Amino acid sequence: MKSNPLAIKTLAFFLIWLLLSESFDWLHVSMGVLCAFGVAWFNRSREQTRFEIPRARIVWYYFWLVGRILQSGFHLSKLILHPSLPIDPRMIRQRTKLRKDAGIVLLGNSITLTPGTITVEVNSDELEVHAMDAESAEDVTSFRFDEQIARVTSSKETA
Amino acid sequence: MTLIEWVELYVMSPIAIASIVVGLFFLFVAAVGVLRLPDVYTRSHAVSLTDSLGAFFVLGGLALYEGLSTNAVKILIVLILLYLLNPVIAHATVRSAHRSGLKPWSREDA
């Protein structure tokens, strides 16, 4: 039997609907079926993207990232509220040693998510980062993120 | 009063309220930042502070206040989506500014 992606998607969306709506009368359930099918049909031509299941270490990485975000967030708040506004913005160009697309996406997103640094441009393995001051820039130039992500994505990568 | 009710009233609620207040503080800082900072690049740093810390504490506090319920799960889904979308939006804004040739403000210009 050939698997039908439309049916599988509809079923998955419908299960999510049931979990979140908590109401099982015929009106809500039938609306759920309609919506699930509508969304699945709308996305029928979207190509299936293969994605690797990340290593369990990624959970630890997210906790580490929240810690970094808190630390840089307090630093940025201090800069903004300081009466003399002691900012010193700069652009940094940096090559990353990460090779996989997933790793580079995770790196760019993590840098942007951390207050005080924003990824401006990514050219295959070179990142252009805008940083608020020297201390924010140090987050990126120290390759802190690269090291952590290299441990998450693959054991073969070196950082 | 059962133990669970007691914990919800005297432990979880104060933590949740404190968390929401901290989140509001960061939202305030972000608003001040948007007004004080000199150019697009620096201002988008302030804007992304709203999502990464403001929304984190406010929504986290709301989820704690709800306790174990589907509402808390919904709030957490919103939080996860925000954390995925916020960097993409900030990056798109800054990249379009960069590609249209806007020079970042620096100390020497002041």
Side-chain angles (χ1 to χ4, degrees):
Chain A
M1 199 178 91
K2 218 178 129 207
S3 72
N4 184 350
L6 192 64
I8 294 170
K9 274 182 196 164
T10 307
L11 193 66
F13 289 141
F14 180 61
L15 284 179
I16 295 170
W17 170 286
L18 280 187
L19 274 178
L20 291 178
S21 82
E22 286 179 284
S23 41
F24 299 101
D25 52 298
W26 67 270
L27 180 66
H28 285 91
V29 171
S30 56
M31 278 192 331
V33 173
L34 272 180
C35 290
F37 180 75
V39 174
W41 186 79
F42 199 72
N43 289 302
R44 69 196 179 286
S45 60
R46 191 176 293 277
E47 56 184 280
Q48 303 280 322
T49 43
R50 283 180 51 228
F51 88 106
E52 294 168 46
I53 295 166
R55 302 162 100 199
R57 202 187 159 83
I58 197 156
V59 177
W60 192 86
Y61 173 75
Y62 281 124
F63 279 106
W64 178 83
L65 184 63
V66 167
R68 291 297 326 157
I69 288 171
L70 285 176
Q71 209 174 323
S72 333
F74 280 111
H75 177 66
L76 183 62
S77 308
K78 209 172 66 195
L79 285 183
I80 289 174
L81 293 181
H82 197 284
S84 64
L85 206 63
I87 56 168
D88 186 12
R90 63 196 58 200
M91 282 285 197
I92 316 159
R93 276 169 176 279
Q94 178 158 300
R95 281 193 182 283
T96 172
K97 294 187 186 80
L98 299 170
R99 282 293 163 271
K100 287 185 179 171
D101 283 351
I104 294 172
V105 168
L106 193 56
L107 176 66
N109 260 12
S110 306
I111 288 174
T112 311
L113 205 49
T114 312
T117 48
I118 289 188
T119 317
V120 179
E121 197 84 59
V122 184
N123 306 312
S124 67
D125 68 338
E126 195 186 48
L127 279 86
E128 248 178 279
V129 178
H130 185 265
M132 205 65 163
D133 71 343
E135 199 182 316
S136 307
E138 200 259 326
D139 249 2
V140 179
T141 50
S142 64
F143 287 100
R144 218 174 269 151
F145 288 106
D146 300 57
E147 279 167 30
Q148 296 291 337
I149 291 168
R151 282 188 224 164
V152 172
T153 46
S154 162
S155 49
K156 275 175 279 177
E157 277 182 328
T158 52
Chain B
M1 191 186 279
T2 63
L3 182 67
I4 293 174
E5 278 172 345
W6 191 87
V7 168
E8 275 187 356
L9 191 59
Y10 292 108
V11 182
M12 296 314 267
S13 297
I15 293 176
I17 290 166
S19 168
I20 292 171
V21 169
V22 171
L24 290 177
F25 167 75
F26 280 115
L27 292 178
F28 170 74
V29 171
V32 172
V34 170
L35 293 174
R36 285 192 80 193
L37 293 170
D39 72 339
V40 175
Y41 298 95
T42 46
R43 282 180 179 183
S44 62
H45 286 293
V47 172
S48 66
L49 191 67
T50 19
D51 289 318
S52 55
L53 284 171
F56 176 75
F57 280 112
V58 170
L59 292 177
L62 286 174
L64 277 182
Y65 197 79
E66 278 291 328
L68 277 176
S69 68
T70 45
N71 285 343
V73 176
K74 285 175 201 171
I75 291 170
L76 289 181
I77 290 175
V78 170
L79 192 58
I80 291 169
L81 286 178
L82 265 181
Y83 260 59
L84 287 174
L85 294 178
N86 164 38
V88 177
I89 294 165
H91 169 66
T93 315
V94 168
R95 190 178 68 162
S96 58
H98 182 70
R99 286 198 175 166
S100 62
L102 191 66
K103 289 274 170 289
W105 182 92
S106 70
R107 268 273 151 222
E108 291 86 66
D109 302 345

